[in-house]
Amino acid sequence: MSFLAFILLGLICGAIAKAILPGRQGGGWIATLVLGVIGALLGGWLGGLIFNVDYNGFFSIQSWIIAIVGSLIVLVIWGAITGRKGSRA
């Protein structure tokens, strides 16, 4: 997959992950892009490590599922980190 396709996949999957998670997540579109790309990387790494799968291309359903699951994991971790900062005050 090309770099631009990977960024587009990360942005879309980050937005889908934000829509799936209940509650309100902080961050705008830039944060969604960054967390989505990180989640897509994490999902690809975990998918290859655990299930021996990889990215087959932009239009592969397997790539989308891996990226969305990775984005969900990153958003949950991000929410846990930012939630702790807000609860101290």
Side-chain angles (χ1 to χ4, degrees):
M1 219 179 341
S2 74
F3 182 71
L4 291 176
F6 193 76
I7 289 178
L8 182 63
L9 178 72
L11 175 63
I12 294 169
C13 291
I16 291 171
K18 271 190 158 183
I20 291 173
L21 280 178
R24 187 169 187 266
Q25 293 86 26
W29 285 107
I30 300 296
T32 301
L33 173 66
V34 170
L35 293 174
V37 170
I38 292 171
L41 283 170
L42 177 70
W45 180 72
L46 286 175
L49 185 68
I50 298 171
F51 301 112
N52 199 22
V53 295
D54 58 348
Y55 288 110
N56 293 329
F58 185 79
F59 294 106
S60 169
I61 190 71
Q62 179 178 335
S63 298
W64 284 84
I65 291 172
I66 289 170
I68 290 171
V69 169
S71 296
L72 283 169
I73 292 169
V74 169
L75 281 174
V76 166
I77 292 170
W78 179 255
I81 290 170
T82 59
R84 287 187 199 142
K85 288 181 182 177
S87 65
R88 288 182 185 172

